[in-house]
């Protein structure tokens, strides 16, 4: 979360704005001779606009989607390079087409190379799903939803114990996994919680959220990613670890990344993954149920498995409090995706009151990191993730992954993840 709204995202986006938005259109007069005859800067913008539509067409083909990050980077770099180094103009339409084709094929080749060499490969899940194939799908609108719920996060006796929570949900399978026993869940959802030393929060969370998620008829599991090293907290890297470790176990379609201190107050806000990444924690009591700022992406978010891979996950470089969510916001914009939000009438949350831990001090580097979200995107994330799992505890109410994140905070050589995605 941004602590002040003074970051001008516009600055970061300005290059993209040049080729993505149709402002340029006014310069684009077609292939008329006068247009090519003299260089006034606009020609290059037009070229890049045309290039980008070729390139976008290419990456929109399904198998090439994963290349988009690299493509964007290349388009922008080429554009800037062209603007800076060339100033003599192009003599005619023929030369224009030639330059365009050359750059297009260069971009597409680079992207293809990226797909084959440098993408993040998903681990093969142990299990695909839990229900028999011939079951009927659950209903589009789960019938047991209640709407507004009573949530009290200040109980004198504190939250229930883990064992009481488990007793309340007898159908929970090991590791806090649950799926409806009467219909085929529409969504397989991994809930990933970045965590260190917040047991009371976790118990409140589990005490309320299991019941809610069950009424939503999800095939879900709660993964608590517990940072056990003593370096400063790294929320975003924990989310990447949660993603990879969860994918090793089961074929999740959808990920909900969830602060441990937020509890949903209305079960009609469904924890599913729609067609675009979603910011879910829209209305929080602490902020008077108002969105803090339009570009906020902290708290709770959801992304499909494919979207998360396409974005290269979160950055691994945000140690300490703040900025990691804004960096993801930038990634989503750069990848030409939109951010959805559920309506504030149902996306209502209570937040447990807390201070900031001394191990999670505001990260002074967050502003400078946010200036180069784009250039880091293709090499800082899932494909550079390194960590050591110390233990995986499958408790009745949740899976706790103890992880050592290391401490250098710098992306090392590209990970050759041994766990290749099954090709079938
Ligand atoms: C805001 C964002 C949060 C994140 C953070 C900046 C909202 C509602 N929340 O939260 O998503 O972007 O700013 O990094 O916009 N945690 C632990 N142990 C720790 C420290 C953190 O478990 O010692 C986890 C826990 O899940 C917590 C989350 O990290 O909810 C975010 O940390 P926070 O709650 O201290 O930060 P906050 O409330 O400012
Ligand atoms: Mn918090």
């Amino acid at each position: 979360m941004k602590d002040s709204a003074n970051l001008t995202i516009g600055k970061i986006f300005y290059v993209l704005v040049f080729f993505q938005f149709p402002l340029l259109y006014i310069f684009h007069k077609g292939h008329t001779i006068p247009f090519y005859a003299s260089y006034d800067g606009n020609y290059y913008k037009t070229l890049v606009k045309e290039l980008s539509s070729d390139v976008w067409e290419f990456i929109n083909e399904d198998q090439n989607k994963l290349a988009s990050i690299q493509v964007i980077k290349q388009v922008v770099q080429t554009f800037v390079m062209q603007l800076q180094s060339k100033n003599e103009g192009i003599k005619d339409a023929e030369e224009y087409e030639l330059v365009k084709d050359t750059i297009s094929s260069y971009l597409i080749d680079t992207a293809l190379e990226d797909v084959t060499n440098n993408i993040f490969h998903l681990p093969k899940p142990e299990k695909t799903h839990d229900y028999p194939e011939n079951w009927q799908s659950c209903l589009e609108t789960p019938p047991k939803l209640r709407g507004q719920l009573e949530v009290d996060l200040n109980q004198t006796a504190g939250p229930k114990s883990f064992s009481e929570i488990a007793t309340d949900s007898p159908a929970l399978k090991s590791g806090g996994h649950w799926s409806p026993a009467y219909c085929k869940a529409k969504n397989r959802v991994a809930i990933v919680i970045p965590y260190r030393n917040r047991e009371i929060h976790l118990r409140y969370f589990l005490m309320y959220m299991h019941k809610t998620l069950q009424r939503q008829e999800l095939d879900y599991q709660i993964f608590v990613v517990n940072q056990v090293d003593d370096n400063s907290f790294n929320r975003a890297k924990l989310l990447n670890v949660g993603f990879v470790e969860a994918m090793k176990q089961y074929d999740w379609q959808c990920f909900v990344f969830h602060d441990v201190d937020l509890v949903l107050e209305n079960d009609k806000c469904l924890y599913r993954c729609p067609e675009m990444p979603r910011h879910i924690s829209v209305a929080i009591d602490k902020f008077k149920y108002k969105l803090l700022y339009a570009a906020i992406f902290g708290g709770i978010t959801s992304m499909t498995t494919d979207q998360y891979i396409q974005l290269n996950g979160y950055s691994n470089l945000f140690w300490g409090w703040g900025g990691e969510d804004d960096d993801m916001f930038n990634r989503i914009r750069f990848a030409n995706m939109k951010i959805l939000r559920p309506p504030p009438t149902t996306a209502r949350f209570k937040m447990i009151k807390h201070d900031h831990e001394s191990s999670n001090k505001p990260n002074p580097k967050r502003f400078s990191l946010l200036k180069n979200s784009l250039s880091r995107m293709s090499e800082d994330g899932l494909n550079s993730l390194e960590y050591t799992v110390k233990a995986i505890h499958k408790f009745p109410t949740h899976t706790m992954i103890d992880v050592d994140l290391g401490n250098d905070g710098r992306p090392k050589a590209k990970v050759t993840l041994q766990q290749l995605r099954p090709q079938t």
Side-chain angles (χ1 to χ4, degrees):
M1 177 165 54
K2 230 180 276 177
D3 43 0
S4 68
N6 63 0
L7 276 178
T8 44
I9 290 169
K11 270 189 202 154
I12 310 169
F13 279 99
Y14 81 103
V15 177
L16 277 170
V17 165
F18 268 127
F19 76 85
Q20 280 192 2
F21 296 114
L23 244 189
L24 296 173
Y25 207 72
I26 51 173
F27 299 121
H28 181 62
K29 303 197 183 80
H31 300 177
T32 56
I33 295 301
F35 179 68
Y36 297 103
S38 69
Y39 169 65
D40 63 357
N42 296 333
Y43 158 72
Y44 293 104
K45 294 178 195 168
T46 309
L47 172 62
V48 168
K49 180 173 172 257
E50 295 203 345
L51 273 182
S52 68
S53 65
D54 278 2
V55 173
W56 280 114
E57 209 170 285
F58 164 79
I59 62 178
N60 278 332
E61 288 167 27
D62 241 17
Q63 70 274 24
N64 298 328
K65 275 217 167 96
L66 298 173
S68 62
I69 297 163
Q70 199 68 23
V71 174
I72 294 165
K73 198 173 150 189
Q74 293 295 342
V75 171
V76 174
Q77 280 174 351
T78 309
F79 175 46
V80 173
M81 209 174 64
Q82 289 277 339
L83 276 184
Q84 286 168 349
S85 67
K86 280 214 154 201
N87 56 11
E88 73 273 18
I90 282 179
K91 63 179 183 311
D92 54 22
E94 206 180 319
E95 192 177 334
Y96 177 90
E97 290 304 322
L98 191 72
V99 172
K100 197 179 111 181
D101 287 351
T102 314
I103 301 179
S104 277
S105 56
Y106 167 68
L107 288 172
I108 290 172
D109 286 351
T110 316
L112 272 180
E113 208 180 295
D114 183 56
V115 170
T116 44
N117 294 340
N118 191 29
I119 58 162
F120 166 76
H121 294 284
L122 271 182
K124 183 174 165 47
E126 281 165 18
K127 230 178 177 189
T128 334
H129 51 69
D130 259 1
Y131 36 80
E133 268 312 332
N134 58 358
W135 276 17
Q136 289 234 313
S137 274
C138 300
L139 299 173
E140 184 55 35
T141 308
K144 295 177 191 162
L145 299 179
R146 293 188 190 153
Q148 188 66 27
L149 309 166
E150 274 299 314
V151 173
D152 179 2
L153 303 176
N154 288 303
Q155 304 182 20
T156 357
K160 291 187 180 183
S161 68
F162 290 115
S163 60
E164 285 168 323
I165 299 166
T167 312
D168 281 354
S169 285
L172 276 176
K173 288 165 274 187
S174 156
H177 189 182
W178 186 91
S179 57
Y182 42 87
C183 58
K184 188 159 79 180
K186 281 202 172 303
N187 304 79
R188 295 191 296 274
V189 185
I191 317 275
V192 178
I193 299 181
Y195 183 84
R196 179 150 72 186
N197 196 22
R198 295 247 188 134
E199 186 188 312
I200 299 294
H201 295 199
L202 181 58
R203 277 159 49 200
Y204 272 123
F205 175 87
L206 295 168
M207 167 176 159
Y208 285 110
M209 294 303 292
H210 270 305
K211 293 285 173 202
T212 298
L213 298 169
Q214 289 163 20
R215 284 197 301 276
Q216 296 193 355
E217 296 183 334
L218 304 170
D219 177 357
Y220 76 93
Q221 183 165 337
I222 293 176
F223 293 90
V224 178
V225 195
N226 182 25
Q227 187 176 342
V228 294
D229 58 71
D230 50 15
N231 305 310
S232 50
F233 195 69
N234 189 331
R235 177 178 180 271
K237 192 169 177 187
L238 289 170
L239 300 180
N240 283 343
V241 172
F243 175 83
V244 175
E245 291 301 314
M247 286 307 301
K248 284 184 191 169
Q249 296 189 14
Y250 201 68
D251 188 18
W252 304 108
Q253 302 159 314
C254 167
F255 277 78
V256 174
F257 301 103
H258 209 301
D259 278 7
V260 73
D261 52 17
L262 290 168
V263 175
L264 181 61
E265 280 186 89
N266 189 315
D267 59 10
K268 292 197 171 157
C269 174
L270 299 176
Y271 277 27
R272 293 178 179 171
C273 283
E275 66 284 359
M276 285 289 160
R278 198 160 60 130
H279 176 244
I280 300 183
S281 47
V282 173
I284 304 178
D285 63 345
K286 181 178 169 189
F287 308 120
K288 303 196 167 58
Y289 294 104
K290 296 257 158 41
L291 201 64
L292 268 193
Y293 55 98
I296 193 167
F297 205 63
I300 308 167
T301 57
S302 74
M303 282 167 247
T304 65
T305 307
D306 288 345
Q307 285 159 1
Y308 199 70
I309 293 174
Q310 189 184 343
L311 293 162
N312 201 15
Y314 277 85
S315 163
N316 298 313
L317 303 182
F318 285 79
W319 299 86
W321 184 94
E324 83 297 340
D325 50 344
D326 301 316
D327 187 70
M328 178 50 95
F329 178 88
N330 291 345
R331 288 182 180 215
I332 292 171
R333 294 283 298 273
F334 293 143
N336 226 18
M337 295 180 194
K338 288 202 170 57
I339 288 172
L340 304 176
R341 287 207 172 91
T345 41
T346 57
R348 287 170 69 85
F349 294 84
K350 279 202 171 140
M351 192 177 195
I352 302 171
K353 291 198 173 56
H354 65 81
D355 297 324
H356 280 150
E357 287 82 355
S358 57
S359 56
N360 192 24
K361 293 211 175 75
N363 172 10
K365 294 192 185 145
R366 64 192 185 283
F367 303 110
S368 55
L369 279 167
L370 283 169
K371 286 189 188 136
N372 55 32
S373 294
L374 174 61
S375 59
R376 272 186 294 101
M377 184 166 169
S378 62
E379 56 213 31
D380 162 25
L382 289 174
N383 67 357
S384 65
L385 180 64
E386 289 187 9
Y387 60 92
T388 313
V389 171
K390 294 291 182 185
I392 298 183
H393 311 277
K394 294 224 171 177
F395 296 123
T397 50
H398 59 287
T399 298
M400 173 85 90
I401 301 164
D402 291 344
V403 62
D404 182 335
L405 294 183
N407 65 3
D408 62 350
R410 315 234 13 118
K412 295 205 179 111
K414 301 263 159 65
V415 183
T416 43
L417 281 170
Q418 298 306 322
Q419 319 105 334
L420 293 182
R421 180 174 210 172
Q423 291 304 304
T424 50

